Amino acid sequence: MKIVALVAGVFAVVLLGWLVWPTDDEPTVLHARTAHHVVRLSMAEPRIGANEVRLEITDGQGRPADLREVTVEPVMPQMGHITAPVPARPGADGRRVAELPLNMGGQWVITVTLHGPAGSENVDFPLLVNG
């Protein structure tokens, strides 16, 4: 009888711990500057497979950037993986959205290329993908 009560108590503690254990539901958010723009990249927890990337791009004064095109290119230098640049389509409230295929866990570099009146600019974001 004491063993049953002990097992039930341990089970209750484990269950309670699992229910209240903190989870990382916050998106990954990265910031960078170029000579003419400020770029904010955000995505849910980076994972193997398709990942939606959201970009908020402003000029130096914080106004939405006037850009012809924005592309996003994931590269994994250590393994030699590279994918073709993905065009970022217009999203809600002036932001841009792109779907990135990340085929394995590890350290990636996400290059965002901005094409606008001032020419083209690149900004790199380091990104760790859990595998």
Side-chain angles (χ1 to χ4, degrees):
M1 191 69 146
K2 288 183 182 180
I3 292 178
V4 171
L6 179 61
V7 169
V10 169
F11 177 75
V13 169
V14 169
L15 179 62
L16 180 61
W18 180 73
L19 291 172
V20 298
W21 191 265
T23 59
D24 187 12
D25 290 337
E26 296 295 317
T28 296
V29 179
L30 304 168
H31 296 87
R33 285 188 86 84
T34 68
H36 300 99
H37 299 97
V38 176
V39 182
R40 179 180 180 264
L41 180 148
S42 64
M43 62 191 310
E45 183 178 341
R47 65 187 184 287
I48 296 171
N51 289 269
E52 183 179 78
V53 175
R54 296 180 179 276
L55 300 166
E56 181 180 345
I57 306 164
T58 59
D59 65 14
Q61 288 74 41
R63 297 179 300 241
D66 177 26
L67 298 168
R68 289 188 321 271
E69 181 182 23
V70 176
T71 59
V72 184
E73 180 179 24
V75 176
M76 187 180 218
Q78 298 88 340
M79 301 301 286
H81 294 298
I82 187 167
T83 64
V86 176
R89 66 187 184 283
D93 58 22
R95 295 186 176 148
R96 304 250 179 166
V97 180
E99 292 291 330
L100 287 188
L102 301 173
N103 59 4
M104 71 183 305
Q107 187 66 46
W108 288 82
V109 176
I110 308 301
T111 300
V112 177
T113 303
L114 312 172
H115 304 278
S120 295
E121 296 180 297
N122 292 330
V123 62
D124 294 330
F125 293 97
L127 183 70
L128 181 61
V129 175
N130 294 321

